[in-house]
Amino acid sequence: MSIYLTAIVKSKSGEAETLKTHLLELVSHSTKETACLQYDLHQADDKNTFIFHEEWSDAAGLELHNSQPHIERFISNTAHLRDGDIIIYKTQPVK
């Protein structure tokens, strides 16, 4: 059964473009993972808010994703660019 996530990442003022570069690198790596079914990055009109819409094939695949070196690099290399914590919502489609 698929796992759906929405993740929200906010940049500090003046850091949106730099953070976006790191986010796009994250997309590049994450979409190559076997369990990744969707990993879409969106940018809000305020330019400082980025939103991921993700779908993972299963919990094991998501767990593996969260332990990947590119995730760990992103977390450590962007701490000074991010405004607050990354907010992650586990969701289900409404039918």
Side-chain angles (χ1 to χ4, degrees):
M1 183 160 123
S2 287
I3 297 174
Y4 300 90
L5 300 178
T6 299
I8 301 170
V9 183
K10 293 189 177 188
S11 70
K12 291 182 178 175
S13 182
E15 299 292 356
E17 287 304 309
T18 304
L19 182 60
K20 182 165 47 173
T21 299
H22 289 278
L23 291 167
L24 289 170
E25 181 179 335
L26 195 60
V27 170
S28 174
H29 289 290
S30 298
T31 54
K32 294 175 185 168
E33 294 178 50
T34 304
C36 182
L37 303 176
Q38 177 184 1
Y39 204 83
D40 296 335
L41 176 62
H42 299 259
Q43 187 172 14
D45 287 342
D46 70 12
K47 303 294 184 200
N48 291 317
T49 304
F50 297 90
I51 303 163
F52 282 103
H53 297 285
E54 305 176 26
E55 182 180 357
W56 297 91
S57 62
D58 54 33
L62 177 57
E63 188 175 324
L64 181 61
H65 165 70
N66 288 331
S67 69
Q68 292 297 307
H70 58 267
I71 294 294
E72 294 171 4
R73 274 193 313 270
F74 173 79
I75 297 298
S76 65
N77 292 345
T78 63
H80 67 288
L81 302 172
R82 290 183 277 116
D83 184 13
D85 293 331
I86 299 168
I87 301 168
I88 300 173
Y89 295 96
K90 186 174 179 183
T91 64
Q92 290 297 318
V94 178
K95 298 180 183 183

Coordinates of all heavy atoms in Angstrom, one line a residue:
M1 N 0.8 -1.2 0.0 CA 0.0 0.0 0.0 C 0.9 1.3 0.0 O 1.8 1.3 0.8 CB -0.9 0.0 1.2 CG -1.8 1.1 1.3 SD -3.2 0.8 2.4 CE -3.1 2.1 3.5
S2 N 0.6 2.2 -0.9 CA 1.4 3.4 -1.0 C 1.3 4.2 0.3 O 0.3 4.2 1.0 CB 0.8 4.3 -2.1 OG 1.2 3.7 -3.4
I3 N 2.4 5.0 0.5 CA 2.5 5.9 1.6 C 2.6 7.3 0.9 O 3.5 7.5 0.1 CB 3.7 5.6 2.5 CG1 3.5 4.3 3.2 CG2 3.9 6.7 3.5 CD1 4.6 3.8 4.0
Y4 N 1.8 8.2 1.3 CA 1.8 9.6 0.8 C 2.3 10.6 1.8 O 1.8 10.5 3.0 CB 0.3 10.0 0.4 CG -0.2 9.1 -0.7 CD1 -1.0 7.9 -0.3 CD2 -0.1 9.3 -2.0 CE1 -1.5 7.1 -1.3 CE2 -0.6 8.5 -3.0 CZ -1.3 7.4 -2.6 OH -1.8 6.5 -3.5
L5 N 3.1 11.5 1.4 CA 3.6 12.5 2.3 C 3.5 13.9 1.6 O 3.7 14.0 0.4 CB 5.1 12.2 2.6 CG 5.5 11.0 3.3 CD1 7.0 10.9 3.5 CD2 4.8 10.8 4.7
T6 N 3.3 14.9 2.5 CA 3.5 16.2 2.1 C 4.5 16.8 3.0 O 4.3 16.7 4.2 CB 2.2 17.0 2.1 OG1 1.2 16.4 1.3 CG2 2.3 18.5 1.8
A7 N 5.6 17.4 2.5 CA 6.6 18.0 3.3 C 6.8 19.4 3.0 O 6.7 19.8 1.8 CB 7.9 17.2 3.0
I8 N 6.9 20.3 4.0 CA 7.0 21.7 3.8 C 8.3 22.2 4.3 O 8.7 21.9 5.5 CB 5.8 22.4 4.5 CG1 4.5 21.9 3.9 CG2 6.0 23.9 4.4 CD1 3.3 22.4 4.7
V9 N 9.1 22.9 3.5 CA 10.4 23.4 3.8 C 10.4 24.9 3.6 O 10.0 25.3 2.4 CB 11.5 22.7 3.0 CG1 12.9 23.2 3.4 CG2 11.4 21.2 3.0
K10 N 10.7 25.7 4.6 CA 10.8 27.1 4.4 C 12.2 27.6 4.4 O 13.0 27.2 5.3 CB 9.9 27.8 5.4 CG 8.4 27.5 5.3 CD 7.6 28.4 6.2 CE 6.1 28.1 6.0 NZ 5.3 29.0 6.7
S11 N 12.5 28.6 3.6 CA 13.8 29.2 3.6 C 13.8 30.4 4.4 O 12.8 31.1 4.5 CB 14.3 29.5 2.1 OG 13.5 30.5 1.6
K12 N 15.0 30.7 4.9 CA 15.2 32.0 5.5 C 15.1 33.1 4.4 O 15.4 32.8 3.3 CB 16.5 32.1 6.2 CG 16.6 31.2 7.5 CD 17.9 31.3 8.2 CE 17.9 30.5 9.4 NZ 19.2 30.5 10.1
S13 N 14.8 34.3 4.8 CA 14.7 35.4 3.9 C 16.0 35.6 3.1 O 17.1 35.6 3.7 CB 14.3 36.7 4.6 OG 14.2 37.8 3.7
G14 N 15.9 35.7 1.8 CA 17.0 35.8 0.9 C 17.8 34.6 0.6 O 18.8 34.6 -0.1
E15 N 17.3 33.4 1.1 CA 18.0 32.1 0.9 C 17.2 31.2 0.0 O 17.6 30.0 -0.2 CB 18.3 31.4 2.2 CG 19.2 32.2 3.1 CD 20.6 32.4 2.6 OE1 21.0 31.8 1.5 OE2 21.4 33.1 3.3
A16 N 16.1 31.6 -0.6 CA 15.2 30.7 -1.4 C 15.9 30.1 -2.6 O 15.8 28.9 -2.8 CB 14.0 31.5 -1.8
E17 N 16.7 30.8 -3.3 CA 17.3 30.3 -4.5 C 18.4 29.3 -4.1 O 18.5 28.2 -4.8 CB 17.8 31.4 -5.4 CG 16.8 32.2 -6.1 CD 15.9 31.3 -7.0 OE1 16.4 30.5 -7.8 OE2 14.6 31.4 -6.8
T18 N 19.1 29.6 -3.1 CA 20.2 28.6 -2.6 C 19.5 27.3 -2.1 O 20.0 26.2 -2.5 CB 21.0 29.3 -1.6 OG1 21.6 30.5 -2.1 CG2 22.2 28.4 -1.1
L19 N 18.5 27.5 -1.3 CA 17.8 26.3 -0.8 C 17.2 25.5 -2.0 O 17.3 24.3 -2.0 CB 16.7 26.7 0.2 CG 16.0 25.5 0.8 CD1 16.9 24.6 1.6 CD2 14.9 26.0 1.8
K20 N 16.6 26.2 -3.0 CA 16.0 25.5 -4.1 C 17.1 24.6 -4.8 O 16.7 23.5 -5.3 CB 15.4 26.5 -5.1 CG 14.7 25.8 -6.2 CD 13.7 26.7 -7.0 CE 14.2 28.0 -7.4 NZ 13.3 28.7 -8.4
T21 N 18.3 25.1 -4.9 CA 19.3 24.3 -5.6 C 19.5 23.0 -4.8 O 19.6 21.9 -5.4 CB 20.6 25.1 -5.6 OG1 20.4 26.3 -6.4 CG2 21.8 24.3 -6.2
H22 N 19.5 23.0 -3.5 CA 19.7 21.8 -2.7 C 18.5 20.9 -2.8 O 18.6 19.7 -2.9 CB 19.9 22.2 -1.2 CG 21.2 22.8 -0.9 ND1 22.4 22.0 -0.8 CD2 21.6 24.1 -0.8 CE1 23.4 22.8 -0.5 NE2 23.0 24.1 -0.5
L23 N 17.3 21.5 -2.9 CA 16.1 20.8 -3.0 C 16.0 20.0 -4.3 O 15.6 18.9 -4.4 CB 14.8 21.7 -2.8 CG 14.6 22.2 -1.5 CD1 13.6 23.4 -1.5 CD2 14.2 21.2 -0.5
L24 N 16.4 20.7 -5.4 CA 16.4 20.0 -6.7 C 17.4 18.9 -6.8 O 17.2 17.9 -7.4 CB 16.7 21.1 -7.8 CG 15.6 22.1 -8.1 CD1 16.0 23.2 -9.0 CD2 14.3 21.4 -8.6
E25 N 18.5 19.0 -6.1 CA 19.5 17.9 -6.0 C 18.8 16.7 -5.2 O 19.0 15.6 -5.6 CB 20.7 18.4 -5.2 CG 21.8 17.3 -5.1 CD 23.1 17.8 -4.4 OE1 23.3 19.0 -4.5 OE2 23.7 16.9 -3.9
L26 N 18.1 17.0 -4.2 CA 17.3 16.0 -3.5 C 16.3 15.3 -4.4 O 16.2 14.1 -4.3 CB 16.6 16.7 -2.3 CG 16.1 15.8 -1.2 CD1 17.2 15.0 -0.5 CD2 15.4 16.7 -0.1
V27 N 15.6 16.0 -5.2 CA 14.7 15.5 -6.1 C 15.4 14.5 -7.1 O 15.0 13.4 -7.3 CB 13.9 16.5 -6.9 CG1 13.2 15.9 -8.1 CG2 13.0 17.4 -6.0
S28 N 16.6 15.0 -7.6 CA 17.3 14.2 -8.5 C 17.7 12.8 -8.0 O 17.6 11.8 -8.6 CB 18.6 14.9 -9.0 OG 19.4 14.2 -9.8
H29 N 18.2 12.8 -6.7 CA 18.6 11.5 -6.1 C 17.3 10.7 -5.7 O 17.3 9.5 -5.9 CB 19.4 11.8 -4.9 CG 20.8 12.3 -5.2 ND1 21.7 11.5 -5.7 CD2 21.3 13.6 -5.0 CE1 22.8 12.3 -5.9 NE2 22.6 13.5 -5.5
S30 N 16.3 11.3 -5.1 CA 15.2 10.6 -4.5 C 14.4 9.9 -5.6 O 13.9 8.8 -5.4 CB 14.3 11.6 -3.7 OG 15.1 12.1 -2.6
T31 N 14.2 10.6 -6.8 CA 13.4 10.0 -7.8 C 14.1 8.7 -8.4 O 13.4 8.0 -9.2 CB 13.1 11.0 -8.9 OG1 14.3 11.6 -9.4 CG2 12.2 12.1 -8.4
K32 N 15.3 8.5 -8.1 CA 16.0 7.3 -8.6 C 15.8 6.1 -7.7 O 16.2 5.0 -8.1 CB 17.5 7.6 -8.8 CG 17.8 8.6 -9.9 CD 19.3 8.9 -9.9 CE 19.5 10.1 -11.0 NZ 20.8 10.6 -10.9
E33 N 15.3 6.3 -6.5 CA 15.0 5.2 -5.6 C 13.9 4.4 -6.1 O 12.9 4.8 -6.6 CB 14.7 5.8 -4.2 CG 15.9 6.6 -3.6 CD 15.5 7.2 -2.2 OE1 15.0 6.4 -1.4 OE2 15.8 8.4 -2.0
T34 N 14.1 3.1 -5.9 CA 13.1 2.1 -6.4 C 11.7 2.3 -5.8 O 10.7 2.2 -6.5 CB 13.6 0.7 -6.0 OG1 14.9 0.5 -6.6 CG2 12.6 -0.4 -6.6
A35 N 11.6 2.6 -4.5 CA 10.3 2.8 -3.9 C 9.6 4.1 -4.2 O 8.5 4.3 -3.8 CB 10.5 2.6 -2.4
C36 N 10.3 5.0 -4.8 CA 9.8 6.4 -5.1 C 8.8 6.3 -6.3 O 9.2 6.0 -7.4 CB 10.9 7.4 -5.4 SG 10.3 9.0 -5.7
L37 N 7.5 6.6 -6.0 CA 6.5 6.6 -7.1 C 6.2 8.1 -7.5 O 5.8 8.3 -8.6 CB 5.3 6.0 -6.6 CG 5.4 4.5 -6.2 CD1 4.1 4.0 -5.6 CD2 6.0 3.6 -7.3
Q38 N 6.4 9.0 -6.6 CA 6.2 10.4 -6.9 C 7.1 11.2 -5.9 O 7.1 10.9 -4.7 CB 4.7 10.8 -6.7 CG 4.4 12.3 -6.9 CD 3.0 12.6 -6.6 OE1 2.2 11.8 -6.2 NE2 2.6 13.9 -6.8
Y39 N 7.7 12.3 -6.4 CA 8.5 13.2 -5.6 C 8.5 14.5 -6.3 O 9.5 15.0 -6.9 CB 9.9 12.6 -5.5 CG 10.7 13.1 -4.2 CD1 10.5 12.4 -3.0 CD2 11.6 14.1 -4.3 CE1 11.2 12.8 -1.9 CE2 12.3 14.5 -3.2 CZ 12.1 13.9 -2.0 OH 12.8 14.3 -0.9
D40 N 7.4 15.2 -6.2 CA 7.2 16.5 -6.9 C 7.5 17.7 -5.9 O 7.0 17.7 -4.8 CB 5.8 16.6 -7.4 CG 5.4 15.6 -8.5 OD1 6.4 15.1 -9.1 OD2 4.3 15.3 -8.6
L41 N 8.3 18.6 -6.4 CA 8.6 19.8 -5.7 C 7.8 21.0 -6.2 O 7.8 21.2 -7.4 CB 10.1 20.1 -5.7 CG 10.6 21.4 -5.1 CD1 10.4 21.3 -3.6 CD2 12.1 21.6 -5.4
H42 N 7.2 21.8 -5.3 CA 6.5 23.0 -5.7 C 7.0 24.1 -4.9 O 7.5 23.9 -3.8 CB 5.0 22.8 -5.4 CG 4.3 21.7 -6.2 ND1 3.6 21.9 -7.3 CD2 4.4 20.3 -6.0 CE1 3.2 20.7 -7.7 NE2 3.6 19.8 -7.0
Q43 N 6.9 25.3 -5.4 CA 7.3 26.5 -4.7 C 6.1 27.4 -4.6 O 5.4 27.7 -5.6 CB 8.4 27.2 -5.5 CG 9.0 28.4 -4.7 CD 10.3 29.0 -5.4 OE1 10.5 28.7 -6.6 NE2 11.0 29.8 -4.7
A44 N 5.8 27.9 -3.4 CA 4.7 28.8 -3.1 C 4.9 30.2 -3.7 O 6.1 30.6 -4.0 CB 4.4 28.8 -1.7
D45 N 3.8 30.9 -3.8 CA 3.9 32.3 -4.3 C 4.8 33.2 -3.5 O 5.4 34.1 -4.0 CB 2.6 32.9 -4.4 CG 1.7 32.4 -5.6 OD1 2.3 31.8 -6.5 OD2 0.5 32.5 -5.6
D46 N 5.0 32.9 -2.2 CA 5.8 33.7 -1.3 C 7.3 33.5 -1.6 O 8.2 34.2 -1.1 CB 5.5 33.5 0.1 CG 5.9 32.1 0.7 OD1 6.7 31.4 0.0 OD2 5.5 31.8 1.8
K47 N 7.6 32.5 -2.5 CA 9.0 32.1 -2.9 C 9.9 31.5 -1.8 O 10.9 30.9 -2.1 CB 9.8 33.3 -3.5 CG 9.0 33.9 -4.7 CD 9.0 33.0 -5.8 CE 8.4 33.7 -7.0 NZ 7.9 32.8 -8.0
N48 N 9.5 31.6 -0.5 CA 10.3 31.0 0.5 C 9.7 29.7 1.0 O 10.4 29.0 1.8 CB 10.3 32.0 1.7 CG 11.1 33.2 1.4 OD1 12.2 33.2 0.8 ND2 10.6 34.4 1.8
T49 N 8.6 29.2 0.5 CA 8.0 28.0 1.0 C 8.0 27.0 -0.2 O 7.6 27.3 -1.3 CB 6.5 28.2 1.4 OG1 6.5 29.2 2.4 CG2 5.9 26.9 1.9
F50 N 8.6 25.8 0.1 CA 8.7 24.7 -0.8 C 7.8 23.6 -0.3 O 7.9 23.3 0.9 CB 10.1 24.3 -1.0 CG 11.0 25.4 -1.6 CD1 11.6 26.3 -0.8 CD2 11.1 25.5 -3.0 CE1 12.4 27.3 -1.3 CE2 11.9 26.5 -3.5 CZ 12.5 27.4 -2.7
I51 N 7.1 22.9 -1.2 CA 6.2 21.8 -0.8 C 6.5 20.6 -1.7 O 6.5 20.7 -2.9 CB 4.8 22.2 -0.9 CG1 4.5 23.5 -0.1 CG2 3.8 21.1 -0.6 CD1 3.3 24.2 -0.5
F52 N 6.8 19.5 -1.0 CA 6.9 18.2 -1.7 C 5.6 17.4 -1.6 O 5.0 17.4 -0.5 CB 8.0 17.3 -1.0 CG 9.4 17.7 -1.3 CD1 10.2 18.4 -0.4 CD2 10.0 17.3 -2.5 CE1 11.5 18.8 -0.7 CE2 11.3 17.7 -2.8 CZ 12.0 18.4 -1.9
H53 N 5.2 16.8 -2.7 CA 4.2 15.8 -2.7 C 4.9 14.5 -3.1 O 5.4 14.4 -4.2 CB 3.1 16.2 -3.8 CG 2.4 17.5 -3.4 ND1 1.5 17.6 -2.4 CD2 2.5 18.7 -4.0 CE1 1.0 18.8 -2.4 NE2 1.7 19.5 -3.3
E54 N 4.8 13.6 -2.2 CA 5.5 12.3 -2.3 C 4.6 11.1 -2.2 O 3.6 11.1 -1.5 CB 6.6 12.2 -1.2 CG 7.5 13.3 -1.1 CD 8.5 13.2 0.1 OE1 8.8 12.0 0.5 OE2 9.0 14.2 0.6
E55 N 5.0 10.1 -3.0 CA 4.3 8.8 -2.9 C 5.4 7.7 -2.9 O 6.3 7.7 -3.7 CB 3.4 8.5 -4.0 CG 2.6 7.2 -3.9 CD 1.6 6.9 -5.0 OE1 1.5 7.8 -5.9 OE2 1.1 5.8 -5.0
W56 N 5.3 6.8 -1.9 CA 6.3 5.8 -1.7 C 5.6 4.4 -1.8 O 4.4 4.3 -1.3 CB 7.0 5.9 -0.4 CG 7.8 7.2 -0.4 CD1 7.4 8.4 0.1 CD2 9.1 7.4 -0.9 NE1 8.4 9.3 -0.2 CE2 9.5 8.7 -0.8 CE3 10.1 6.5 -1.5 CZ2 10.7 9.3 -1.2 CZ3 11.3 7.0 -1.9 CH2 11.6 8.4 -1.8
S57 N 6.2 3.4 -2.3 CA 5.5 2.2 -2.6 C 5.2 1.4 -1.3 O 4.2 0.7 -1.2 CB 6.3 1.3 -3.5 OG 7.6 1.0 -2.9
D58 N 6.0 1.6 -0.2 CA 5.8 0.9 1.0 C 6.6 1.6 2.1 O 7.5 2.4 1.9 CB 6.0 -0.6 0.9 CG 7.4 -0.9 0.4 OD1 8.4 -0.1 0.7 OD2 7.6 -1.9 -0.3
A59 N 6.3 1.1 3.4 CA 7.0 1.7 4.5 C 8.5 1.4 4.5 O 9.3 2.2 4.9 CB 6.4 1.1 5.8
A60 N 8.9 0.2 4.0 CA 10.3 -0.2 4.0 C 11.1 0.7 3.0 O 12.2 1.2 3.3 CB 10.5 -1.6 3.6
G61 N 10.4 1.1 1.9 CA 11.0 2.0 0.9 C 11.2 3.4 1.5 O 12.2 4.0 1.2
L62 N 10.2 3.8 2.2 CA 10.3 5.2 2.8 C 11.4 5.2 3.9 O 12.1 6.1 4.0 CB 9.0 5.6 3.4 CG 8.9 6.9 4.1 CD1 9.4 8.1 3.3 CD2 7.5 7.2 4.7
E63 N 11.5 4.1 4.7 CA 12.5 4.0 5.7 C 13.9 4.0 5.1 O 14.8 4.7 5.6 CB 12.3 2.7 6.5 CG 13.2 2.6 7.7 CD 12.9 1.4 8.6 OE1 11.7 1.1 8.7 OE2 13.8 0.9 9.1
L64 N 14.0 3.3 4.0 CA 15.3 3.3 3.3 C 15.6 4.7 2.8 O 16.8 5.2 2.9 CB 15.3 2.3 2.1 CG 16.6 2.2 1.3 CD1 17.7 1.7 2.2 CD2 16.3 1.2 0.2
H65 N 14.6 5.4 2.2 CA 14.8 6.7 1.7 C 15.3 7.7 2.8 O 16.3 8.4 2.6 CB 13.5 7.3 1.2 CG 13.5 8.8 1.0 ND1 14.2 9.4 0.0 CD2 12.8 9.7 1.6 CE1 14.0 10.7 0.0 NE2 13.1 10.9 1.0
N66 N 14.7 7.6 4.0 CA 15.1 8.5 5.1 C 16.5 8.2 5.6 O 17.0 9.1 6.3 CB 14.1 8.4 6.2 CG 12.8 9.0 5.8 OD1 12.7 10.0 5.0 ND2 11.7 8.5 6.4
S67 N 17.1 7.1 5.3 CA 18.4 6.8 5.7 C 19.5 6.9 4.7 O 20.7 6.7 4.9 CB 18.5 5.3 6.2 OG 18.3 4.4 5.2
Q68 N 19.1 7.5 3.5 CA 20.0 7.6 2.4 C 21.0 8.8 2.7 O 20.6 9.8 3.3 CB 19.3 7.9 1.1 CG 18.4 6.8 0.6 CD 19.3 5.6 0.2 OE1 20.3 5.8 -0.6 NE2 19.0 4.5 0.7
P69 N 22.2 8.7 2.2 CA 23.2 9.7 2.3 C 22.7 11.1 1.8 O 23.1 12.1 2.4 CB 24.4 9.2 1.6 CG 24.3 7.7 1.5 CD 22.8 7.5 1.5
H70 N 22.0 11.1 0.7 CA 21.5 12.4 0.2 C 20.5 13.1 1.1 O 20.5 14.3 1.1 CB 21.0 12.3 -1.3 CG 19.9 11.4 -1.4 ND1 20.0 10.0 -1.8 CD2 18.5 11.5 -1.4 CE1 18.9 9.4 -1.9 NE2 17.9 10.3 -1.6
I71 N 19.8 12.3 1.9 CA 18.9 13.0 2.8 C 19.7 13.5 4.0 O 19.5 14.7 4.4 CB 17.9 11.9 3.4 CG1 16.9 11.5 2.2 CG2 17.1 12.5 4.5 CD1 16.0 12.6 1.7
E72 N 20.6 12.7 4.5 CA 21.5 13.2 5.6 C 22.3 14.4 5.2 O 22.4 15.4 6.0 CB 22.4 12.1 6.0 CG 21.6 10.9 6.7 CD 22.5 9.7 6.9 OE1 23.7 9.7 6.7 OE2 21.9 8.7 7.4
R73 N 22.8 14.4 3.9 CA 23.6 15.6 3.5 C 22.7 16.8 3.4 O 23.0 17.9 3.8 CB 24.2 15.3 2.1 CG 25.5 14.7 2.1 CD 26.2 14.7 0.7 NE 25.3 14.4 -0.4 CZ 25.1 13.1 -0.9 NH1 25.8 12.1 -0.3 NH2 24.3 12.9 -1.9
F74 N 21.4 16.6 2.9 CA 20.5 17.8 2.8 C 20.2 18.4 4.1 O 20.3 19.6 4.3 CB 19.2 17.3 2.1 CG 18.2 18.4 2.1 CD1 18.2 19.5 1.2 CD2 17.2 18.4 3.1 CE1 17.3 20.5 1.3 CE2 16.2 19.4 3.1 CZ 16.3 20.5 2.2
I75 N 19.9 17.5 5.1 CA 19.6 18.0 6.4 C 20.8 18.8 7.0 O 20.6 19.9 7.5 CB 19.2 16.8 7.4 CG1 18.0 16.1 6.9 CG2 19.1 17.3 8.8 CD1 16.7 16.9 6.8
S76 N 22.0 18.3 6.9 CA 23.1 19.0 7.5 C 23.6 20.2 6.7 O 24.0 21.2 7.3 CB 24.3 18.0 7.7 OG 24.8 17.5 6.5
N77 N 23.5 20.1 5.4 CA 24.0 21.2 4.6 C 23.1 22.4 4.4 O 23.5 23.4 3.9 CB 24.4 20.7 3.2 CG 25.6 19.8 3.2 OD1 26.3 19.7 4.2 ND2 25.8 19.0 2.1
T78 N 21.8 22.2 4.8 CA 20.9 23.3 4.6 C 20.3 23.9 5.9 O 19.5 24.7 5.9 CB 19.7 22.8 3.8 OG1 19.0 21.8 4.4 CG2 20.1 22.4 2.4
A79 N 20.8 23.4 7.1 CA 20.3 23.9 8.3 C 20.4 25.4 8.4 O 19.4 26.1 8.9 CB 21.1 23.3 9.5
H80 N 21.4 26.0 7.9 CA 21.6 27.5 8.0 C 20.7 28.2 7.0 O 20.5 29.4 7.0 CB 23.0 27.8 7.8 CG 23.5 27.6 6.4 ND1 23.8 26.3 5.9 CD2 23.8 28.4 5.3 CE1 24.2 26.3 4.7 NE2 24.2 27.6 4.3
L81 N 20.1 27.5 6.0 CA 19.2 28.1 5.0 C 17.8 28.0 5.3 O 16.9 28.8 4.8 CB 19.5 27.4 3.6 CG 20.9 27.4 3.1 CD1 21.0 26.5 1.9 CD2 21.3 28.8 2.8
R82 N 17.4 27.0 6.2 CA 16.0 26.7 6.5 C 15.5 27.6 7.6 O 16.2 27.8 8.6 CB 15.8 25.2 6.8 CG 16.0 24.4 5.6 CD 15.7 22.9 5.9 NE 16.9 22.3 6.4 CZ 17.0 21.8 7.7 NH1 16.0 21.8 8.5 NH2 18.2 21.2 8.1
D83 N 14.2 28.0 7.5 CA 13.5 28.7 8.5 C 12.7 27.7 9.3 O 11.6 27.4 8.8 CB 12.7 29.8 7.9 CG 12.1 30.7 9.0 OD1 12.4 30.6 10.2 OD2 11.2 31.5 8.6
G84 N 13.1 27.2 10.4 CA 12.4 26.3 11.2 C 12.6 24.8 10.7 O 13.4 24.6 9.9
D85 N 11.8 24.0 11.3 CA 11.9 22.6 11.0 C 11.2 22.2 9.7 O 10.3 23.0 9.3 CB 11.2 21.7 12.2 CG 12.0 21.8 13.5 OD1 13.2 22.0 13.4 OD2 11.3 21.7 14.5
I86 N 11.5 21.1 9.2 CA 10.8 20.6 8.0 C 9.5 19.9 8.6 O 9.6 19.1 9.5 CB 11.6 19.5 7.3 CG1 12.9 20.2 6.7 CG2 10.8 18.9 6.1 CD1 13.9 19.2 6.2
I87 N 8.4 20.3 8.0 CA 7.1 19.8 8.5 C 6.7 18.7 7.5 O 6.6 18.9 6.3 CB 6.1 20.9 8.6 CG1 6.5 22.0 9.5 CG2 4.7 20.3 9.0 CD1 5.7 23.2 9.5
I88 N 6.4 17.5 8.1 CA 6.0 16.4 7.2 C 4.6 15.9 7.7 O 4.4 15.6 8.9 CB 7.0 15.2 7.3 CG1 8.4 15.7 6.8 CG2 6.5 14.0 6.5 CD1 9.5 14.8 7.0
Y89 N 3.7 15.8 6.7 CA 2.4 15.2 7.0 C 2.2 13.9 6.2 O 2.5 13.8 5.0 CB 1.3 16.2 6.4 CG 1.2 17.5 7.1 CD1 1.8 18.6 6.6 CD2 0.5 17.6 8.3 CE1 1.8 19.8 7.2 CE2 0.4 18.9 8.9 CZ 1.1 20.0 8.4 OH 1.0 21.2 9.0
K90 N 1.8 12.9 6.9 CA 1.5 11.6 6.3 C 0.0 11.7 5.9 O -0.8 12.0 6.8 CB 1.7 10.4 7.2 CG 1.5 9.1 6.6 CD 1.9 8.0 7.5 CE 1.7 6.6 6.9 NZ 2.0 5.5 7.8
T91 N -0.3 11.5 4.7 CA -1.7 11.7 4.2 C -2.2 10.5 3.5 O -1.5 9.6 3.2 CB -1.7 12.9 3.2 OG1 -1.0 12.6 2.1 CG2 -1.2 14.2 3.9
Q92 N -3.5 10.6 3.2 CA -4.2 9.6 2.4 C -5.1 10.3 1.4 O -5.7 11.3 1.7 CB -5.1 8.6 3.2 CG -4.3 7.7 4.1 CD -3.4 6.7 3.3 OE1 -3.9 6.2 2.3 NE2 -2.2 6.5 3.7
P93 N -5.2 9.8 0.2 CA -6.1 10.4 -0.8 C -7.5 10.3 -0.3 O -7.9 9.3 0.3 CB -5.9 9.6 -2.1 CG -4.6 8.8 -1.9 CD -4.5 8.7 -0.4
V94 N -8.3 11.4 -0.6 CA -9.7 11.4 -0.3 C -10.5 10.9 -1.5 O -10.3 11.5 -2.6 CB -10.2 12.8 0.2 CG1 -11.6 12.8 0.5 CG2 -9.4 13.2 1.4
K95 N -11.2 9.9 -1.4 CA -12.0 9.4 -2.5 C -13.5 9.4 -2.2 O -13.9 9.3 -1.2 CB -11.5 8.0 -2.8 CG -10.0 7.9 -3.2 CD -9.6 6.6 -3.5 CE -8.1 6.6 -3.9 NZ -7.6 5.4 -4.2

